[in-house]
């Protein structure tokens, strides 16, 4: 569906699409192959959605786990696609003040 429906619209309109992907290198292999293929077209931008996708960030989520999701996913995507993600799409859309404070130390 992506190749048949989305790519023609992107090409015709000269658009790119941003994909947020769980970046665990051991995750679903066919999805990684598709991401590689789409990224190579220049029509897809890849940003981070976490390393494992299993962390819904809550006030009680340990800081180390949050940092692992954010920073390790960034390095995996940078290694795979050659560019550092500039966005993190929060799993479930959730974040906490602790997350913001921890980001300020690394940005």
């Amino acid at each position: 569906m992506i190749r048949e429906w989305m790519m023609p619209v992107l090409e015709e309109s000269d658009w790119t699409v941003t994909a947020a992907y769980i970046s665990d290198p051991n995750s679903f292999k066919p999805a990684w192959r598709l991401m590689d293929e789409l990224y190579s077209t220049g029509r897809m931008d890849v940003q981070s959605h976490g390393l494992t996708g299993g962390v819904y960030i809550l006030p009680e989520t340990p800081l180390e786990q949050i940092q692992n999701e954010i920073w390790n996913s960034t390095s995996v995507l940078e290694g795979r696609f050659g560019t550092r993600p500039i966005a993190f799409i929060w799993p479930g859309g959730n974040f906490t003040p602790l997350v913001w404070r921890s980001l300020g130390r690394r940005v």
Side-chain angles (χ1 to χ4, degrees), residues 80-92:
R80 181 105 187 187
F81 298 107
T83 57
R84 183 181 174 148
I86 59 169
F88 184 83
I89 292 73
W90 303 101

Side-chain angles (χ1 to χ4, degrees), residues 41-97:
T41 69
R43 297 285 172 201
M44 187 173 77
D45 170 51
V46 180
Q47 299 299 321
S48 180
H49 191 53
L51 182 65
T52 66
V55 175
Y56 187 76
I57 299 168
L58 302 169
E60 60 271 11
T61 306
L63 178 59
E64 296 76 27
Q65 191 174 14
I66 294 167
Q67 290 173 330
N68 179 57
E69 285 295 309
I70 295 170
W71 299 121
N72 289 334
S73 65
T74 299
S75 63
V76 168
L77 293 174
E78 184 175 15
R80 181 105 187 187
F81 298 107
T83 57
R84 183 181 174 148
I86 59 169
F88 184 83
I89 292 73
W90 303 101
N94 205 17
F95 58 90
T96 67

